[in-house]
Amino acid sequence: MSDTEWACHELLLRLAGRLPDDILWRFRDWAATDAVVVLARALPRALLHDRIGLTDLEMNLLADAVLSNGADRAMLSSVEGVDELSESGYTFTAESPDRVSMGDSATAVLGATLRGRQGVGEVRTAWRQGGADQVTRRIVLIAATTGHARLTGEVQRVLRALGEHDPCVEVVPLGMELPPYHQAALAASEPICTGAEVDGHLVPV
């Protein structure tokens, strides 16, 4: 993965729970399918439209991710900077509070898809409530050593085939300190399976 590709994946990872789910999964799909020129134009526009501020680290990731792919420099300079992130307003549970979900079918399919796979560590799931739309959503957390963007796109497509319109798939590099959103999801999560990287655990702070 190039530095530009990695910057894009990490930024989209950090924007979980901040960009709307229906936009974020699409951006991640573009990143997975090399539609980076389209993404470079759309991402800054979405940040401005939804008034999403970025930390200094995220600002650097944004520049690395989109400038070489034709992003508008003036638009990037208009993105708001923030010193720290506000609370997400979400809560996470191990089981769907609605008791209505893809349930065992999704768990079984994800297990069959990722169990024992090279480059994949632990795979976990949690349920998220809150936010503007108050919709309960499945969050899939995957530790991986390689192919992060493409794995995100693949698992998103699996979940969409199972009826999840706006899949929330968080593929995290091994050893990465999780952002607060992912820490909260991990704390409430349950295991689905483990890939070939048996020591590949998601790392809480």
Side-chain angles (χ1 to χ4, degrees):
M1 181 181 290
S2 70
D3 290 345
T4 297
E5 291 169 331
W6 170 246
C8 184
H9 178 76
E10 183 177 349
L11 179 59
L12 293 177
L13 188 71
R14 292 180 179 278
L15 288 172
R18 293 156 66 193
L19 271 178
D21 297 323
D22 60 337
I23 294 175
L24 185 58
W25 89 260
R26 177 63 68 186
F27 285 177
R28 288 172 168 174
D29 187 63
W30 289 344
T33 55
D34 297 326
V36 289
V37 174
V38 178
L39 179 58
R41 294 172 181 167
L43 178 53
R45 188 177 300 115
L47 294 171
L48 291 172
H49 180 270
D50 290 299
R51 298 180 180 178
I52 296 172
L54 302 183
T55 64
D56 288 344
L57 169 61
E58 292 166 344
M59 285 288 197
N60 290 333
L61 290 172
L62 177 64
D64 290 345
V66 303
L67 277 177
S68 63
N69 290 303
D72 185 326
R73 288 181 178 272
M75 189 171 290
L76 260 64
S77 67
S78 299
V79 175
E80 180 184 359
V82 296
D83 293 328
E84 58 183 29
L85 300 178
S86 58
E87 294 291 328
S88 69
Y90 293 114
T91 57
F92 298 88
T93 59
E95 187 174 79
S96 170
D98 295 339
R99 306 279 181 177
V100 177
S101 69
M102 294 177 291
D104 291 340
S105 62
T107 299
V109 171
L110 290 174
T113 302
L114 299 173
R115 185 176 292 109
R117 180 185 288 202
Q118 292 295 323
V120 174
E122 66 176 328
V123 182
R124 305 182 67 90
T125 186
W127 293 89
R128 190 193 76 194
Q129 278 190 307
D133 58 9
Q134 294 295 312
V135 174
T136 299
R137 296 198 187 278
R138 175 190 293 271
I139 309 297
V140 177
L141 298 160
I142 304 170
T145 60
T146 187
H148 304 89
R150 294 191 183 279
L151 181 58
T152 302
E154 176 188 347
V155 177
Q156 285 186 160
R157 288 187 288 275
V158 168
L159 291 176
R160 281 179 59 81
L162 292 168
E164 184 78 5
H165 294 294
D166 304 321
C168 300
V169 179
E170 310 300 322
V171 178
V172 182
L174 293 186
M176 177 180 176
E177 183 176 303
L178 297 179
Y181 174 92
H182 300 81
Q183 292 176 36
L186 176 61
S189 67
E190 290 189 335
I192 293 178
C193 67
T194 303
E197 309 299 328
V198 294
D199 295 324
H201 300 296
L202 293 155
V203 180
V205 174

